């Protein structure tokens, strides 16, 4: 099959705060930053906001992730690097070198989850789970522990294909979900998996030719299903169908799954229908 280009939706959980130049001339921003790291990915997060500061008055809060300063990405630097970028921009304003406001773009981790709980038919909600750049595992001195590696920008998108008839009870962590689904590789369009899909006349290893599949949301065995399921099925209702577009970092990474014909660094698409929730197949 021909390889296709992936069009990535813009993150729907990001927003930009404008710090007015007049305010910057006389006051400090009042933001304290910290590093948050997971494997090879690092985030710079707001640790604290000074009460009554510019940031506080503009609604900046703890745990927001700093995405960019004046349009320049901060996602491959650390808290000190972001602090330098902000300080440099402020000094340029105070020294009269630039005549514009300071723009800082943030990502709110809670927004994406809230959007999933309130998604509507045809709506797409997107978050960036990892920036592009170097992903090499390194020692504290900066020396590579193994091969030099890198990755493309990783964005996760969820689209509601079919809304539920009614929805008063939404899926949450620890719920038993029964789903039917079809999985394909975005780059090639190849269907590689599904609750009732066979490959060369044989069932998917571990699926047993079942027309549906059960798993506990947020508690699935590591490696059995892509971690992206635990994210994208939050807030789902019985009868609802969603399309999950899962980047490699939340799918099967740089190794893939050869026995299921998933190549390394593949972006996966799953069309998923929630058949029952905690054993109840009636609309809730």
């Amino acid at each position: 099959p021909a390889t296709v280009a992936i069009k990535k939706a813009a993150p729907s959980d990001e927003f930009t705060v404008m710090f007015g130049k007049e305010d910057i001339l006389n006051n400090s921003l009042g933001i304290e930053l910290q590093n948050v790291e997971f494997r090879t990915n690092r985030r710079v997060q707001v640790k604290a906001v000074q009460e009554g500061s510019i940031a506080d008055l503009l609604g900046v809060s703890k745990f927001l992730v700093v995405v960019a300063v004046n349009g320049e990405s901060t996602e491959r630097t650390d808290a000190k690097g972001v602090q330098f970028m902000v300080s440099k921009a402020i000094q340029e304003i105070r020294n009269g070198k630039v005549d514009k406001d300071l723009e800082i773009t943030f990502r709110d981790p809670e927004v994406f989850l809230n959007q999933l709980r309130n998604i509507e038919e045809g709506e797409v909600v997107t978050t960036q789970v990892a920036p592009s750049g170097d992903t090499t595992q390194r020692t504290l001195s900066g020396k590579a522990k193994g091969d030099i590696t890198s990755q493309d920008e990783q964005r996760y998108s969820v689209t509601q294909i079919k809304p539920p008839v009614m929805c008063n009870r939404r899926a949450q962590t620890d719920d038993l979900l029964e789903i039917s689904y079809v999985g394909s590789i975005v780059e090639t369009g190849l269907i590689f998996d599904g609750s009732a899909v066979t490959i060369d006349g044989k069932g998917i290893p571990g699926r047993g030719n079942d027309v549906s599949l059960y798993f506990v949301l947020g508690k699935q065995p590591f490696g059995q299903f892509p971690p992206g399921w635990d994210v994208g099925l939050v807030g789902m209702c019985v009868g609802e169908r969603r399309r999950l577009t899962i980047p490699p970092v939340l799918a099967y990474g740089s190794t893939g799954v050869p026995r299921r014909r998933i190549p390394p660094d593949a972006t996966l698409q799953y069309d998923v229908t929630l058949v029952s929730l905690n054993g109840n197949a009636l609309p809730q």
Side-chain angles (χ1 to χ4, degrees), residues 82-101:
V82 175
Q83 185 177 2
F84 174 79
M85 293 169 69
V86 172
S87 297
K88 180 182 177 182
I90 290 175
Q91 286 302 315
E92 288 178 344
I93 292 173
R94 290 177 176 172
N95 293 336
K97 292 184 178 180
V98 296
D99 186 26
K100 63 179 182 179
D101 297 335

Side-chain angles (χ1 to χ4, degrees), residues 20-91:
K21 60 181 180 180
E22 297 300 327
D23 292 326
I24 289 174
L25 291 174
N26 303 303
N27 303 281
S28 64
L29 296 190
I31 299 175
E32 182 180 355
L33 303 175
Q34 65 182 356
N35 293 318
V36 177
E37 298 187 10
F38 176 71
R39 296 180 181 173
T40 59
N41 294 307
R42 178 192 293 123
R43 289 288 186 273
V44 177
Q45 192 179 67
V46 176
K47 181 179 181 181
V49 178
Q50 183 180 349
E51 186 176 355
S53 65
I54 304 175
D56 185 33
L57 295 175
L58 290 175
V60 178
S61 58
K62 291 173 61 176
F63 307 126
L64 294 178
V65 175
V66 183
V67 175
V69 175
N70 284 339
E72 183 179 355
S73 176
T74 62
E75 297 209 85
R76 280 295 172 193
T77 187
D78 58 11
K80 289 184 178 180
V82 175
Q83 185 177 2
F84 174 79
M85 293 169 69
V86 172
S87 297
K88 180 182 177 182
I90 290 175
Q91 286 302 315

Side-chain angles (χ1 to χ4, degrees), residues 215-229:
F215 76 101
V216 178
L217 187 62
K219 299 295 177 67
Q220 56 178 309
F222 181 78
Q224 185 172 357
F225 310 112
W229 280 15

